[in-house]
Amino acid sequence: MIRYAKPTSVDEALALLGEGVWRILAGGTDFYPAQGAKPFRDNVLDINGLAALRGIAETDDHFVIGARTTWTDLIRHPLPPAFDALKQAAREVGSPQIQNVASVAGNLCNASPAADGVPGLLVLDAEVELRSAAATRHLPLQEFILGNRRTALQPGEMVTALRVPKPATAGASAFVKLGARRYLVISIAMVAARLVVDNGTVAEAAIAVGSCSAVAKRLAGVETVIRGLPADHGLADAIQSAPMTELSPIADVRGSAEYRLDAVREIVARAVLTAAGATNDHMVAAA
């Protein structure tokens, strides 16, 4: 018999998860399309009644984003400029109707290489809070998403929050998405960049690229190259020759691997220049 449960507390949800295998239903914006016309064969744990998992809080050390927080919640919440890339990405998650329902944690658990929220969270050094009935653990986001549709969730666990450490909220950020049209599109490539500029020089840099590898990646080589450079248009020239060995794009109906590698340098430069305050061009869609 297939079971359906809609717990009213996190403890109740964790107790159920400890009893057997469940498929977690949050916003449902990926859940139902993935199910299609197939009959349900898994127990369904509906967490949409868990009010404790929705909202954004600030502690002494972190900003904490509840697992059920929607993209609209994130867009509307007052946050430091370092979150601007994530807010810009939030506006690219489907339509406003989807943004009103889809959860931030669901975007991560879906583990798509084209998940819009991941690059913006990577440049914020986000970590994932995982809870079971027995324990709570925290994983850096880059250790949580293991590959296409694969995460580090263990049996009996669920994502309860994302935590962003305060030191990673310094500076400003920007997000650039390349797609076949302006709206409602899966990305060909996307970039989030966060820069701290001190006295006209790049003091800190965090850059992440999605849709160009099985998992979104930070570009450590580019970050190293631009750190210490003047925060002006010369950054674009430095990025053109910087190493991007972390990327390994595939070819698909949206673009070839070669096109992605070529295009991503341009959108990295656009995101970096915007985060540095050198341009206002922070969004792009192209055929």
Side-chain angles (χ1 to χ4, degrees), residues 10 41 78 87 95 109 127 202 232 239 251 265 267 286:
V10 175
R41 300 191 183 280
K87 289 192 173 192
S95 64
C109 292
E127 61 182 20
V202 178
D232 58 25
I239 288 165
R265 288 192 181 273
I267 63 173

Side-chain angles (χ1 to χ4, degrees), residues 127-177:
E127 61 182 20
V128 183
E129 180 179 277
L130 302 163
R131 287 183 61 187
S132 67
T136 299
R137 64 188 181 118
H138 299 98
L139 276 182
L141 178 55
Q142 61 266 33
E143 295 179 19
F144 174 71
I145 302 176
L146 303 178
N148 186 14
R149 311 296 179 181
R150 295 191 300 116
T151 72
L153 268 172
Q154 297 295 317
E157 282 186 330
M158 65 183 292
V159 175
T160 50
L162 302 171
R163 306 199 315 166
V164 175
K166 289 285 184 71
T169 63
S173 68
F175 177 77
V176 177
K177 178 174 178 173

